[in-house]
Amino acid sequence: MKKESVDVSQALVKVDSCGMSYKGSELQLGTPIEDWIKVLGKPDRTFMAYMEKDKGTYVWDKLGIAVDNFENGDGTVAWAYIFFLNLDSPEAKEQMLNHARGWVPHPKEYIEKEKKSTEDMLKSPVYSDDLSQKTIKETFQKLLKESYIYPFKVYQGAVDLNGFPVQAGMKVEEINSYRADLPYSGKFGYVDDDIDGVNDSGTTTETFGGDYRAPGAECKDGRLQYYELTYTATKKLEYLKIGYESKSDFDSRKVAEASFEERKKNGK
């Protein structure tokens, strides 16, 4: 595939083999969320994990960026998302976005009417039990943009990923054409056969969406910094995720690598 000339020298987000930066200020996965807030500013919205008060997903609506500090279990940043689509996109209206499959846009008047109806139901003794209260609140929340992790504005321009561009509208084949000669990360490979959010570790060249992963390099504490592209079923680039390998995945990988080396040494 012919590569287009894309200038990444002015990219707001630059990602190295280990670590990244925003407007020149350094960031590192596997570090406390407070370090990220110092660079990105106070998040516009937060989605706390169940029974947690300081672990979850933090969203910067004006930057098109979100960060997760729950998945690794130790409160450090596990993932950073750079969004190229949001709930204002045609794909959202067609319910194509991976984290907003059921979202439907509604006029402001409809939202206000449903809000009043919800408040009345919550006050009614008929729905006073905990399950009813929870269900009513969740039903209303699904109508609101702020209930989804998609930032109100998407990221602008290209991301400098290992010296090469990732930006809105790019196909995975185009992104891979830049990465063919990288010594450590290599190309993005297909990992979600049915777009259900589960990495199936399959390989295919004819795909219609899903997740693609580039393995990355060992960084802080020997754990991988890796990269994933998520596409809609209509082949639109939804977001880039920069990930940090969990401790359990790191331990499993090291056991597997040691086992492989042992078999190779014994000629098996």
Side-chain angles (χ1 to χ4, degrees), residues 12 54 71 91 109 134 166 172 193 199 209 227 240 259 262 266-267:
L12 298 177
D54 56 1
E71 289 297 326
E91 288 73 25
E109 295 77 13
K134 181 174 182 291
V166 173
V172 69
D193 291 318
N199 289 337
Y227 318 103
L240 164 69
S259 177
E262 183 66 23
N266 295 329

Side-chain angles (χ1 to χ4, degrees), residues 60-121:
W60 284 264
D61 282 316
K62 300 179 184 67
L63 308 182
I65 296 173
V67 165
D68 172 280
N69 77 329
F70 172 71
E71 289 297 326
N72 277 342
D74 57 5
T76 61
V77 173
W79 300 333
Y81 297 87
I82 313 297
F83 285 91
F84 302 104
L85 293 178
N86 64 5
L87 293 178
D88 292 325
S89 66
E91 288 73 25
K93 295 177 176 61
E94 295 171 8
Q95 299 185 333
M96 291 287 184
L97 299 187
N98 286 270
H99 297 290
R101 295 288 178 84
W103 185 76
V104 177
H106 293 288
K108 181 179 179 181
E109 295 77 13
Y110 178 86
I111 299 295
E112 290 299 321
K113 180 180 177 181
E114 288 300 305
K115 180 180 179 181
K116 177 64 169 60
S117 176
T118 297
E119 291 172 347
D120 291 342
M121 291 176 70

